[in-house]
Amino acid sequence: MKKYKLRKNAEFRVVYRRGRSISNDLLVLYTHRNGKNNFNRLGVSVSKKVGKSVVRNRTRRLIKETYRLNSSRIKQGYDLVVIARTNAKNKSYRQIENSLINLFKRAGILNN
């Protein structure tokens, strides 16, 4: 649904400016408490440095699918921005999943 997505540039900028960032070799995660909502909103950014459109879209789909399957374990009320690093190119679903779950744990937003 649209209300669960970060879409506008201004929304991304708020998370970049006010949120905290955590990173590993594949991904960068920005988290910001959105306050007014009792649900999470996700934004995914994959730059052209990662690859051509097919590679970027595959990477984006892997990140979104990992989030979708693990969203019930994540604390509510956050705006999340996931940025793919160039190392994320051609990685398997399992590698992306492990990387993203690691970031959620380190950010302290993962429920057991």
Side-chain angles (χ1 to χ4, degrees), residues 44-97:
V44 179
S45 176
V46 184
S47 79
K48 287 185 177 180
K49 291 178 184 175
V50 174
K52 297 203 184 279
S53 62
V54 174
V55 175
R56 292 196 310 268
N57 286 326
R58 179 179 182 278
T59 304
R60 188 176 295 116
R61 283 195 312 270
L62 291 176
I63 292 168
K64 286 181 177 181
E65 183 66 3
T66 297
Y67 175 77
R68 184 183 74 82
L69 293 174
N70 292 287
S71 61
S72 61
R73 298 171 54 199
I74 298 171
K75 293 179 184 174
Q76 299 299 303
Y78 287 91
D79 287 345
L80 308 168
V81 174
V82 179
I83 302 170
R85 292 187 157 176
T86 53
N87 293 346
K89 176 180 180 175
N90 299 324
K91 293 292 188 238
S92 70
Y93 170 76
R94 208 41 86 199
Q95 290 169 305
I96 297 286
E97 181 184 43

Side-chain angles (χ1 to χ4, degrees), residues 32-41 76-80:
H32 178 252
R33 199 105 174 103
N34 61 24
K36 61 189 178 291
N37 302 323
N38 59 348
F39 55 85
N40 290 335
R41 297 189 304 170
Q76 299 299 303
Y78 287 91
D79 287 345
L80 308 168

Side-chain angles (χ1 to χ4, degrees), residues 11-44:
E11 294 172 333
F12 275 82
R13 280 201 316 259
V14 166
V15 177
Y16 292 144
R17 213 175 14 250
R18 299 198 181 133
R20 43 184 292 243
S21 72
I22 296 136
S23 64
N24 57 28
D25 57 332
L26 299 182
L27 304 169
V28 179
L29 173 69
Y30 282 86
T31 60
H32 178 252
R33 199 105 174 103
N34 61 24
K36 61 189 178 291
N37 302 323
N38 59 348
F39 55 85
N40 290 335
R41 297 189 304 170
L42 178 70
V44 179

Side-chain angles (χ1 to χ4, degrees), residues 34 76 101 109 111:
N34 61 24
Q76 299 299 303
I101 288 174
I109 61 171
N111 295 325

